[in-house]
């Protein structure tokens, strides 16, 4: 009788443990043909080489009922058309449904283009890269699925408040510049001159959440981290680079992944207004690459420290919800349209406010473009960890609000720039303050977009939180 009971208990335990499985893979997606137009700047920058390799890094999780994939890609932002193309391949070649795949860009600002432009659509080097990007994302998931093994997971949080700064500032008298629409009434300014700063216009989020996956035999599989920092930079601009995101991944892989096949990745949190510039206490001049190595090293150290204390569990529930939300695109006012046309017709653009011509083009693009936008929102759960995804450069306070209101308390984070790219996402409060992140063209979705997105994501989190 006693033996039978022990045997039954053993079977229940081993069965439960065997249900959760995880696998990971990374695929090199470094461009092979040059030159390529880099994105992440208002100026044309041509990359003629790779400073360091770019990857698509994937994890696949399965609890016996739901199988999902998360892919973090070394790019600045990726158009939904390319992500959907990759998902179509994944749906065909794996057991993962297209709406169970999250694909996000890290937001390195020294990346090849991830979106179509009139100037890159027919160019040979760009076409070749886009093909490599799509196939690389799909391949990472295909291999990660093949690598599935019985697994355990742990969640941890490290704190790194030192490397993040809210870049939107209330200014002292005389600190606000006329914006590109000829309007002097912005009340905050991005990356302003130091001598006139007063106080930041928003918070920062020091939390670095991480999900750690290992086999039931203790073999490390993957670590997915999330930090709300736009990017670091400092890379020579003649070559593409994966920035600090990949340096962090490399350090974690070195420390934890003694076995080949362990994959670490850093996803971007809600960092639309968060950068690595210390406004109040200027740093001394650093050599190229130094800053990105410093940030990666500090974040990796803190994560590894926190990782020592986490508890792995085998009985893990996986769930995922996807919703397509239709939002209005912003429409410029008659006054803004008139100003844009005037700005484009003017003989000497130097007499106009900074970036007036660039924004005049964006204003008219919005006027002539679609009135609505369908965006992809996702909420997923791995154990007690909740992950939401938004296809925008999300201002920090939105991520903090999602964390505070999530039913998966203490363990929810957002991956931004996922499943497409729809500009900056400020709150209505930030819209009222004005500044770069709210400008027509930088921010294309309606003013209430963040409220609608938050409401949908919290409803979706409620759903995944109760699934078993
Ligand atoms: Zn950016």
């Amino acid at each position: 009788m006693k033996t039978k009971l022990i045997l039954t208990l053993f079977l229940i335990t081993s069965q439960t443990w065997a249900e959760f499985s995880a696998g990971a893979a990374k695929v090199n997606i470094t461009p092979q043909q040059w030159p390529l137009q880099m994105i992440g700047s208002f100026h044309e920058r041509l990359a003629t080489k790779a400073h360091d390799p770019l990857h698509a890094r994937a994890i696949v999780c399965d609890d016996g009922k739901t199988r999902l994939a998360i892919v973090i890609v070394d790019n600045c932002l990726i158009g939904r058309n390319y992500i959907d193309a990759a998902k179509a391949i994944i749906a065909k070649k794996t057991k993962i449904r297209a709406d169970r795949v999250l694909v996000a860009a890290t937001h390195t600002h020294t990346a090849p283009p991830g979106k179509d432009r009139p100037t890159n659509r027919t160019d040979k080097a760009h076409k070749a890269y886009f093909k490599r990007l799509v196939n690389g994302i799909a391949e990472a998931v295909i291999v990660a699925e093949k690598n599935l093994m019985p697994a355990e997971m742990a969640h941890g949080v490290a704190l790194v408040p030192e490397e993040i700064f809210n870049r939107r500032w209330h200014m002292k008298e005389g600190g606000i510049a006329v914006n590109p629409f000829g309007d002097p009434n912005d009340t905050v300014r991005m990356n302003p001159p130091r001598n006139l700063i007063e106080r930041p216009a928003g918070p920062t989020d020091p939390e670095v959440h991480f999900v750690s996956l290992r086999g039931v035999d203790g073999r490390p599989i993957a670590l997915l981290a999330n930090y709300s920092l736009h990017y670091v930079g400092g890379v020579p601009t003649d070559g593409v680079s994966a920035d600090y995101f990949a340096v962090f991944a490399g350090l974690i892989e070195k420390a934890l992944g003694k076995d080949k096949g362990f994959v670490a990745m850093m996803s971007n949190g809600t960092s639309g207004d968060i950068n690595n510039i210390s406004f109040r206490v200027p740093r001394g001049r650093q050599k190229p690459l130094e800053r990105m190595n410093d940030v990666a090293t500090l974040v990796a150290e803190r994560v590894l420290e926190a990782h020592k204390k986490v508890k792995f569990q085998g009985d893990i529930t996986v769930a995922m919800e996807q919703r397509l939300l239709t939002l209005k695109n912003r429409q410029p006012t008659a006054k803004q349209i008139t100003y844009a046309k005037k700005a484009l017709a003017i003989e000497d653009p130097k007499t106009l406010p900074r970036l007036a011509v660039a924004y005049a083009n964006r204003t008219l693009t919005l006027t002539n473009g679609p009135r609505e936008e369908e965006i992809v929102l996702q909420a997923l759960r791995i154990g007690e960890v909740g992950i939401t995804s938004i296809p925008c450069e999300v201002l920090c306070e939105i991520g903090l609000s999602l964390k505070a209101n999530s039913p998966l308390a203490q363990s929810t984070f957002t991956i931004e720039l996922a499943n497409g790219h729809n500009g900056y996402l400020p709150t209505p409060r930030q819209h009222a303050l004005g500044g770069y992140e709210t400008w027509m063209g930088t921010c294309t979705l309606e003013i209430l977009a963040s409220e609608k997105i938050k409401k949908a994501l919290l409803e979706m989190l409620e759903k995944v939180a109760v699934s078993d």
Side-chain angles (χ1 to χ4, degrees), residues 89-123:
I89 302 173
I90 292 164
K92 215 168 130 193
K93 298 204 172 167
T94 70
K95 286 190 185 140
I96 309 168
R97 282 162 43 177
D99 62 354
R100 297 283 180 271
V101 182
L102 183 164
V103 180
T106 57
H107 206 53
T108 163
H109 271 225
T110 37
K115 255 182 148 172
D116 287 331
R117 285 181 187 171
T119 48
N120 70 23
R121 240 168 254 165
T122 53
D123 180 74

Side-chain angles (χ1 to χ4, degrees), residues 76 107 109 167 230-231 393 424:
C76 187
H107 206 53
H109 271 225
R167 69 184 195 185
H230 211 88
Y231 72 107
E393 298 188 53
Y424 278 89

Side-chain angles (χ1 to χ4, degrees), residues 209-412:
H209 282 261
F210 62 88
V211 171
S212 186
L213 298 162
R214 73 177 188 198
V216 289
D217 58 1
R219 263 167 64 189
I221 297 171
L223 185 140
L224 162 71
N226 181 268
Y227 188 36
S228 294
L229 170 59
H230 211 88
Y231 72 107
V232 176
V235 184
T237 51
D238 57 341
V240 297
S241 165
D243 204 305
Y244 99 98
F245 308 97
V247 184
F248 166 86
L251 291 168
I252 298 290
E253 284 169 3
K254 209 173 147 199
L256 296 180
K258 287 179 201 94
D259 304 85
K260 228 176 140 205
F262 172 77
V263 182
M265 59 199 86
M266 173 59 88
S267 62
N268 209 320
T270 49
S271 70
D273 49 351
I274 308 299
N275 68 16
N276 191 241
I277 299 169
S278 174
F279 291 91
R280 285 209 164 110
V281 188
R283 293 190 181 101
R285 196 174 265 280
Q286 287 187 294
K287 288 197 196 100
L289 313 177
E290 219 172 358
R291 184 97 287 274
M292 101 184 183
N293 286 320
D294 285 357
V295 175
T297 305
L298 182 66
V299 179
E301 274 171 16
R302 297 265 165 89
V303 166
L304 289 169
E305 198 51 45
H307 194 266
K308 284 182 197 157
K309 292 171 219 143
V310 297
K311 270 206 189 107
F312 280 87
Q313 284 179 312
D315 186 11
I316 298 298
T317 298
V318 176
M320 184 157 179
E321 283 283 317
Q322 176 172 298
R323 201 185 280 185
L324 302 174
L325 184 67
T326 300
L327 294 165
K328 288 194 222 53
N329 273 325
R330 287 170 83 187
Q331 289 303 312
T333 60
K335 200 176 150 197
Q336 283 168 328
I337 295 169
T338 310
Y339 187 85
K341 285 182 178 162
K342 235 171 72 189
L344 292 177
I346 216 157
E347 236 174 76
D348 183 10
K350 283 197 196 98
T351 57
L352 295 167
R354 205 178 147 259
L355 302 174
V357 171
Y359 278 89
N361 282 314
R362 292 180 179 202
T363 303
L364 298 182
T365 305
L366 268 177
T367 316
N368 302 324
R371 294 283 150 133
E372 290 182 339
E373 204 68 52
E374 183 199 74
I375 66 161
V376 180
L377 296 177
Q378 293 172 332
L380 56 102
R381 173 182 166 198
I382 308 172
E384 291 312 303
V385 173
I387 302 175
T388 53
S389 83
I390 302 176
C392 299
E393 298 188 53
V394 183
L395 267 67
C396 188
E397 59 197 43
I398 296 166
L400 289 171
S401 170
L402 281 165
K403 282 181 175 182
N405 292 294
S406 168
L408 296 158
Q410 321 298 319
S411 54
T412 293

